[in-house]
Every structure is written in structure tokens, then in C-alpha cells.
Amino acid sequence: PDTPIINEAVAERNTASATPFDAVVSEYEQYIKESLALTGTPGAAVAIVKDSLIVFLKGFGVRNVEKQDSVDAHTIFRLASVSKPVSATLAGILVEDSILHWQDPVTKYIAGFDLSPAEFTDALQLRHVLSQSTGFPYHTYTNLIEDGRTLADMLNELHQVELIAQPGKVYSYQNVAYSILDSIVSKATNSTFEQAMKAHVFGPLFMADASLTYDDIISRTNVAQPHLYRGRQWKPIPISDTYYNAAPAGGINASITDMAKWMVAMLGYRSDVISPGTIEQLYSPHVKATAKNRNFNRWSRIKRSYYGLGWRVIQFQEDTLAYHGGYVNGYRSEVAIHPSKKIAICVLANGPSGFSDYALPSFFRIYDKHMKTLIDSVSVIAP
């Protein structure tokens, strides 16, 4: 069944039946408006999921500052590196269906694939690709993505690069190497990566606005135009075709409605698509990694951080968060899943600003404040 969603304006809450979470959402919406005004960010879209329900789904600002066309819940943004956890969802589904296995060597799916030194070639597995522990130097050949090279060409160049560590031992963020997933999925499913994503993720989760190509996004009308801040003002820039040649790493397009439906699944409420057990594997730490969003320290001091399978895993003193952020071509994306509290939030923006930096930590700070108030009030009246 399709995921139930609230209307785009977020129905007015009846104060007589208001819940503590209503207060969280109300204060956070006010924060969003103030933050967007302060930073001048052209447009954004935000979704919050609690348990199996989408409790907030709304667009803010404009798709294009020169046209003043409003962002709504179906406006399409580029996900940038948030494509990585979405792509990992596909891999998890295929593992669940025994089409793939986390320990599968890359050589099983890519003929002639080799590494330097050669003794590491057969050691590189699917789980290393998704956990950013391939052993390649940081951001190997990301420049070739920017140059518009085909994925096949880029993967063919990898054998020239000397590994800095044995696969599985060291975290080193990648875009080209992460996109090895494309070739693995294509071979395993006898289809294209795009076809597999539509068949196993977009279709079953009813992500009707989601796509994987440059042609798809430029052919749509309800699209957030990317912006950069130049000459003391936000100016629209063209949508670039870069990173669609590395789709698993940064080539997915989606609306905030799509992301909300996906987050319901990532909280474990779409077991008909992906099981909670598989999701837990995605969130499990695989290699120690530097926390990308240092602004989380403004919410709660980070204890340790890792990379899981397509996700950053951030451990606080009493909480663990699955997180990923992204930037490409003037678009910013942020997503966080709180498995124990059953909360998820996604923020998409069409201009890189401080709004995106603070949006997620601010939400969790507001949430914790209200939940503490509720607990304290219950403690006072308890016998």
C-alpha cells in the first residue's frame, strides 16, 4: 500500500488534541522560516517522519529567484551524495533477495577488473564499496566525473591507482569507486542500474518524482533551479549533467515527497520492500570515519563516527544517528535517521547556505528540548 501522507500545507493542528510532537514541529517550522530569511536561501523542502507517519511535508521559498515560482512537496531537487544511502537501499534489497551478497568480490561482476597491488584485487568486496573502505586514495578520480567521462572509462582507470590500504581497513571517501555498485547491480540483475532502481526502490515505494538522469530532470517543469551567491545576491545557474555518470554516488533526482516515503521505509515500516534486519545492516558501523557534519556538536557532543553501508553512523553519548549530506551544482541535501527514536528528517535546498548546515542539528535540539519537558512533567505528577 502507498504511504499515507499529510497535505502539503500541513493540516492545522487541533490544540485540544495536540501532542508533544506537534510542539516540536511547530517550533521547527518557525525555525525554518527564520533561518531561510536570515540566510536568504532561495528555496527548500523539508520532511519529518515519526514512526510510520509523515508528520511534516512542506516546500518553502522559490524554485527560481527570477521567476518567484513556489517550491512545493513535489518540486524536484538533485540529491547529490544523499544518492549514496538511497543506492545502498537497492543493494540491501538485492542482498535480501539473494541476488547479491555483501561479501561478493567485485571481480565476480566486472570482467578484467584489477587493482594495484594485484594481491588486493580479489579482496575488494561489495561491502567495501558501500562502506567507503575500498583502499583508494581520498576522492580518487572525482575530477574525471567533473570532466564528463563515462563510468566504464573511469572504472578502467582505477587499476593505475596504488591503493593506500587493504580493502576494508581504512575509510577513504569515494565517488567513482562507490559507483562500482552500478556495474555490480547491472550484471547481477541483467538490467541497467536505472531499471533496477525503478523496479526495486522507486516503484515499490511510490517515489513518483524520482529519477536518475540529466534528461529526466531538465524535462520536468516542477524543478528547483540551482543557485549560487554571487555579487551579494543569489543567482540561478544551469543544471549540470555532471555526476549522472556516477549515479549511485550522486545522480539521483527526487522530491521531498519521494524522500519522505523512502524514510518511512528506512525506519523499518515497509518490510514488504526492505526488512528491518537489512536496514540494521546498512546502519552498522564498518569503518571509523571523521564526522562530516561538525554542526552536530551544537546539538550533542559526538563520541565516535563511522561509515556504514552507504551511511555515516554518528554515535553520541546516548544516541546513534544514521546521516548523510550532499552538495552538487548548487544543491544541498541533508538526511538523518534516528533508529531508536523512530524519527527521520530530510532537508533539500537549491542554494548552498548556512541553512543546510544547521537544519538537522537544530531539529534534534528542538526535539530533545520538548521531550525533556514532557518527561519532567510526567515525573512531577507521577505518584
Side-chain angles (χ1 to χ4, degrees):
D2 200 350
T3 304
I5 63 174
I6 60 177
N7 66 40
E8 295 170 12
V10 184
E12 292 186 11
R13 294 170 174 81
N14 185 334
T15 55
S17 61
T19 69
F21 204 80
D22 289 329
V24 174
V25 171
S26 179
E27 181 175 340
Y28 187 61
E29 181 173 6
Q30 185 59 36
Y31 166 82
I32 294 169
K33 292 176 180 177
E34 292 174 358
S35 182
L36 288 172
L38 181 65
T39 59
T41 309
V46 180
I48 302 170
V49 174
K50 180 70 174 80
D51 298 318
S52 62
L53 298 177
I54 300 169
V55 297
F56 188 80
L57 186 69
K58 193 170 184 179
F60 299 85
V62 296
R63 305 196 305 254
N64 188 324
V65 295
E66 294 181 349
K67 297 181 179 179
Q68 297 299 308
D69 40 3
S70 298
V71 173
D72 62 37
H74 290 282
T75 299
I76 298 169
F77 294 76
R78 294 189 64 177
L79 297 187
S81 283
V82 171
S83 300
K84 291 180 175 73
V86 178
S87 298
T89 304
L90 171 60
I93 292 168
L94 296 178
V95 167
E96 197 169 306
D97 292 341
S98 297
I99 296 171
L100 292 175
H101 303 86
W102 297 128
Q103 289 77 29
D104 283 345
V106 170
T107 52
K108 178 179 178 180
Y109 301 99
I110 306 178
F113 184 85
D114 57 0
L115 297 176
S116 178
E119 58 265 28
F120 289 160
T121 297
D122 291 331
L124 183 63
Q125 301 174 356
L126 172 60
R127 63 192 174 108
H128 302 140
V129 171
L130 294 179
S131 63
Q132 301 286 13
S133 60
T134 56
F136 287 106
Y138 183 72
H139 269 294
T140 292
Y141 287 145
T142 292
N143 61 305
L144 298 185
I145 297 177
E146 303 279 353
D147 291 343
R149 297 278 292 275
T150 67
L151 180 59
D153 283 347
M154 292 187 288
L155 296 186
N156 191 50
E157 296 283 352
L158 289 177
H159 74 277
Q160 301 184 43
V161 180
E162 189 82 13
L163 297 191
I164 59 173
Q166 179 181 342
K169 298 297 184 181
V170 174
Y171 164 79
S172 184
Y173 194 81
Q174 307 294 324
N175 286 307
V176 173
Y178 194 91
S179 296
I180 289 172
L181 179 62
D182 183 308
S183 298
I184 292 175
V185 168
S186 297
K187 180 69 173 180
T189 63
N190 195 30
S191 67
T192 66
F193 182 78
E194 179 184 10
Q195 290 168 338
M197 184 66 79
K198 289 179 177 179
H200 296 278
V201 181
F202 296 167
L205 295 181
F206 299 93
M207 297 170 66
D209 303 316
S211 63
L212 278 143
T213 70
Y214 172 72
D215 288 340
D216 271 317
I217 194 169
I218 64 169
S219 67
R220 307 288 187 94
T221 55
N222 190 0
V223 174
Q225 194 73 22
H227 294 74
L228 291 178
Y229 195 71
R230 294 172 173 168
R232 297 186 178 182
Q233 61 182 323
W234 289 98
K235 294 184 179 181
I237 61 173
I239 297 175
S240 168
D241 62 359
T242 57
Y243 283 89
Y244 291 106
N245 53 348
I252 296 178
N253 315 308
S255 69
I256 200 65
T257 296
D258 295 324
M259 298 305 289
K261 294 176 179 179
W262 172 69
M263 288 192 297
V264 170
M266 290 297 96
L267 283 172
Y269 293 101
R270 287 300 307 273
S271 56
D272 58 314
V273 178
I274 184 169
S275 72
T278 300
I279 294 168
E280 186 176 348
Q281 292 174 16
L282 299 181
Y283 299 159
S284 296
H286 276 256
V287 61
K288 192 171 182 179
T290 304
K292 182 71 172 178
N293 192 332
R294 293 181 178 86
N295 292 307
F296 277 120
N297 280 322
R298 296 179 180 270
W299 161 48
S300 182
R301 185 64 58 184
I302 294 173
K303 185 178 179 182
R304 297 185 187 89
S305 59
Y306 302 87
Y307 209 93
L309 297 175
W311 287 91
R312 295 186 183 276
V313 182
I314 303 176
Q315 293 183 349
F316 302 99
Q317 196 65 38
E318 299 178 352
D319 297 297
T320 296
L321 199 69
Y323 160 79
H324 220 290
Y327 172 79
V328 70
N329 183 208
Y331 294 93
R332 282 288 305 274
S333 55
E334 298 278 312
V335 64
I337 310 290
H338 202 307
S340 64
K341 294 179 179 176
K342 296 294 183 182
I343 306 168
I345 179 171
C346 181
V347 175
L348 306 176
N350 62 342
S353 72
F355 165 71
S356 299
D357 293 334
Y358 295 98
L360 270 57
S362 296
F363 169 75
F364 288 110
R365 177 180 51 79
I366 291 169
Y367 173 85
D368 282 352
K369 179 186 72 173
H370 283 278
M371 292 303 105
K372 183 180 185 302
T373 300
L374 174 64
I375 293 170
D376 290 345
S377 66
V378 170
S379 299
V380 168
I381 63 174

